[in-house]
Amino acid sequence: MPDVRHDSSITEFQQKRGGDSAAFFVPFLTPDMTLLDVGCGPGTITAALAGIVGMAIGVDIESNAIATALRLATGAGLANLAFVEADMTALPFEDETFDAVFFHAVLYHQSEATLTRALAEARRVLKPGGLLGTRDADVGGNILHPELDGVRLALDLWQRWYEHDDPKALRFGRRQSSILRARGFTPVWAGASYVNHSADAASRAEAVADARRSLLGLAPQLLRKARATDDEIQAALAGWDAWGRDPDAVYFRCRCECVARKD
């Protein structure tokens, strides 16, 4: 089984996300719903959704992520927010428990077999007519300027770390509707949005700092598995530094979105 795709730098980056990541799903939610956030990470999105639905539960297989989420829940003081350490392919809930299930930046990392099992579990715990919301990456939609070799290399190194076996996985986002339909869901809405890492000088500096922290954190694993060389890692770091010095640099990261129903 592949290593769990969690890392302290990834968790730290996830903590900066919140309600914007689930904005597309909000119009479909109501205050009487019970919602499950699968692969919740540090829980920031789950907490945002708890302000909209009756009950929000986040699950993640990574104990460090759940520990962070539990600290968030304690600090937030929300009675309708809970977190459970669990495998998305074997959810610890009864059939037809939830009105809505949400996946953010989770499914495109998975093998075909894991993806099928995870969506089967989501369908099992959904009530009849329940809603599934998915938001995931599509590298073909990213917008980058200037297109520096070092930054492109950095993006490639992150994909090597995820060890995608299927080349189509990198364009998972645009295929979400067909993937969900093939697994027993009926898509009812599709769209896309961008994460803006270049709104101003401060956000560009933050993007460079995040990129450097992530690359340095993942470097030992990439080197140990012979998926990158030290020269490549140094070139990627230099690329981000150069990108950050350009006052007109932009990086818009594409996220495709889909809402489907369990019929």
Side-chain angles (χ1 to χ4, degrees), residues 144-154 238-244 246:
L144 178 68
H145 173 80
E147 296 194 22
L148 300 176
D149 290 342
V151 178
R152 287 291 183 192
L153 174 59
W240 274 108
D241 288 341
W243 179 89
D246 187 333

Side-chain angles (χ1 to χ4, degrees), residues 220-239:
Q221 299 174 58
L222 289 167
L223 293 171
R224 186 174 64 252
K225 295 182 178 182
R227 291 188 171 272
T229 66
D230 187 64
D231 285 346
E232 285 181 313
I233 292 166
Q234 296 305 316
L237 291 167

Side-chain angles (χ1 to χ4, degrees), residues 126-181:
L126 268 175
K127 297 176 183 178
L131 293 169
L132 180 73
T134 62
R135 186 175 191 250
D136 236 314
D138 194 303
V139 298
N142 293 338
I143 298 174
L144 178 68
H145 173 80
E147 296 194 22
L148 300 176
D149 290 342
V151 178
R152 287 291 183 192
L153 174 59
L155 300 179
D156 180 57
L157 291 177
W158 282 314
Q159 299 306 328
R160 295 183 205 177
W161 181 69
Y162 280 116
E163 299 179 9
H164 294 294
D165 294 326
D166 183 357
K168 293 189 298 183
L170 301 183
R171 286 171 170 75
F172 181 92
R174 69 189 66 187
R175 298 184 293 114
Q176 286 176 105
S177 290
S178 60
I179 288 168
L180 297 180
R181 191 183 301 279

